[in-house]
Amino acid sequence: MENVNKKFILVGTKDSHDMELISKPALTFWQDAWRRFKKNKVAVVAAVVVIATIIFAIISTVIIPQSAANNFNPNKVQVYKNLPPKIGNGIPGFDGNFTTPGNSQSTNVYQDQKVPAGTSYILGTDSLGRSLAKRTAVGLRISLLIAFSAVLFDIFIGITYGLISGWIGGRVDTVMQRIIEIISSIPWLVIVTMLGMLLGQGITSIILAIGLFIWTGVARQVRNLTLSWKEREFILASKTLGESTFRIMVRHLLPNMLGVIIVQIMFDIPSVIFTEAILSAINLGVKPPTSSLGSLISDGIASLQFYPWQLIVPAIVLSLLSLSFFLFGYGLRDAFDPKSAD
């Protein structure tokens, strides 16, 4: 009987061993995570927005200094105050036309207030005649500065605290977790008020107030992961070989939990931005005339009925920024989760 197997030969193989071999390119943890992350188009777009925003915030420190956004000419307030957005004539909503309070018809505010020819503001001005675009750019920079500064508490305090608590365990772990519970139970608004009285209203007191509380979430996660990972075979092998505790934490524990830490930090950043906005809304934010997204929204609420762009512009920037960070964080979470592997 004719051997049927001879009729079916896998193209590109040299022998029967190659025909039976099914191989897959070896990928590292980070390469595999990047492969999964690229499939999430929404997360990729969010990552691009986040990176572009950070780059813009850095570059804007040179292009748009804080003094240019804060200063105004008191003799020209009546000329430049509350101007609507204007890019060019004929663009609805951005042509300088607006129905000012007391009028029933839309008019060219730039002509009515005798603004010099050729002068326009792409996002309008505030009640003092300051460019809303410049103040939003500075406010974005200040909000990101507060967020990333507060997140440093996550990195240095939260990770260290969680590693020590989980590694030592026992009574030390119990005491350290009770301390976290006590800190979490303290109303942060009280701490902000106290720090504002001691240090004065400003960026420093906000960063300290938020940073004193934000690290507890990372500390809990790192502690739980440490309790799980320290019983693994490779950790026990490292102990047997005489490696120091610090070396085991740095070389073995941290790399394995780095994905979870990064995701948690990405979620903490928009939370800090929203917290700063809340503090500014109750006049506990940055000190005027310095602007942040929260302080701009707080100022815009007062004039929402008459000049809505003063609230809409910073509110849209805050919403898009926070949404981008959240979507970026969700994408990283799915990419680092082995259960989502194909």
Side-chain angles (χ1 to χ4, degrees):
M1 183 176 180
E2 184 180 359
N3 188 356
V4 180
N5 293 332
K6 290 182 179 181
K7 296 182 180 180
F8 300 95
I9 301 176
L10 187 62
V11 177
T13 60
K14 297 180 180 179
D15 52 35
S16 59
H17 174 72
D18 291 336
M19 294 175 62
E20 297 176 357
L21 181 62
I22 301 176
S23 60
K24 180 181 179 181
L27 296 176
T28 65
F29 172 78
W30 295 103
Q31 290 174 334
D32 193 38
W34 172 243
R35 178 184 63 85
R36 290 198 297 271
F37 182 79
K38 289 190 297 183
K39 294 181 179 181
N40 191 337
K41 303 303 181 184
V42 176
V44 172
V45 173
V48 172
V49 173
V50 168
I51 294 172
T53 302
I54 295 174
I55 293 175
F56 170 77
I58 295 173
I59 296 176
S60 67
T61 57
V62 179
I63 301 177
I64 308 174
Q66 189 168 321
S67 58
N70 295 341
N71 296 338
F72 66 95
N73 188 344
N75 299 321
K76 298 289 185 177
V77 171
Q78 295 299 322
V79 177
Y80 294 103
K81 71 173 184 178
N82 299 323
L83 293 175
K86 182 179 180 181
I87 298 177
N89 295 325
I91 303 177
F94 292 90
D95 54 3
N97 294 324
F98 183 72
T99 305
T100 56
N103 295 332
S104 58
Q105 294 182 349
S106 175
T107 59
N108 191 312
V109 182
Y110 285 76
Q111 294 180 359
D112 295 343
Q113 296 184 186
K114 298 180 180 180
V115 179
T119 302
S120 61
Y121 296 90
I122 188 173
L123 296 179
T125 61
D126 62 5
S127 59
L128 296 177
R130 296 172 295 189
S131 171
L132 194 59
K134 291 182 179 179
R135 289 185 62 76
T136 302
V138 173
L140 173 65
R141 192 164 69 217
I142 296 298
S143 296
L144 288 176
L145 173 63
I146 293 174
F148 283 105
S149 299
V151 163
L152 291 178
F153 287 81
D154 266 351
I155 298 174
F156 293 104
I157 298 180
I159 294 176
T160 304
Y161 194 96
L163 283 172
I164 295 174
S165 178
W167 184 264
I168 297 177
R171 293 182 178 179
V172 174
D173 176 45
T174 302
V175 172
M176 295 180 72
Q177 293 308 303
R178 298 296 83 75
I179 293 174
I180 288 181
E181 292 174 1
I182 293 173
I183 294 175
S184 301
S185 65
I186 300 175
W188 56 269
L189 188 58
V190 175
I191 303 299
V192 173
T193 306
M194 293 176 59
L195 289 175
M197 296 174 61
L198 294 174
L199 303 177
Q201 184 180 357
I203 297 176
T204 303
S205 59
I206 294 177
I207 292 174
L208 289 177
I210 298 176
L212 289 175
F213 291 91
I214 195 173
W215 61 269
T216 56
V218 170
R220 284 196 179 101
Q221 284 201 343
V222 172
R223 177 252 183 185
N224 295 336
L225 291 172
T226 303
L227 289 173
S228 174
W229 282 98
K230 74 177 185 178
E231 301 299 333
R232 300 293 180 91
E233 291 79 2
F234 65 95
I235 298 295
L236 298 177
S238 299
K239 290 181 181 180
T240 305
L241 293 174
E243 287 194 17
S244 63
T245 301
F246 178 79
R247 188 178 180 87
I248 293 175
M249 288 181 177
V250 173
R251 293 196 60 184
H252 301 294
L253 287 178
L254 276 179
N256 283 287
M257 61 180 69
L258 195 58
V260 177
I261 295 173
I262 292 175
V263 172
Q264 180 64 38
I265 290 176
M266 294 305 299
F267 286 143
D268 283 343
I269 290 176
S271 298
V272 173
I273 295 175
F274 270 117
T275 302
E276 184 277 326
I278 294 172
L279 293 176
S280 296
I282 58 178
N283 295 323
L284 291 175
V286 297
K287 185 186 301 183
T290 303
S291 63
S292 67
L293 294 179
S295 64
L296 290 174
I297 291 175
S298 178
D299 295 339
I301 291 175
S303 57
L304 174 62
Q305 183 177 359
F306 303 107
Y307 310 107
W309 66 85
Q310 296 180 6
L311 172 64
I312 293 174
V313 170
I316 290 177
V317 173
L318 176 63
S319 300
L320 291 178
L321 180 62
S322 301
L323 180 62
S324 298
F325 270 108
F326 276 121
L327 293 177
F328 189 19
Y330 285 126
L332 290 176
R333 182 197 61 185
D334 296 338
F336 288 134
D337 185 6
K339 295 180 181 179
S340 65
D342 297 337

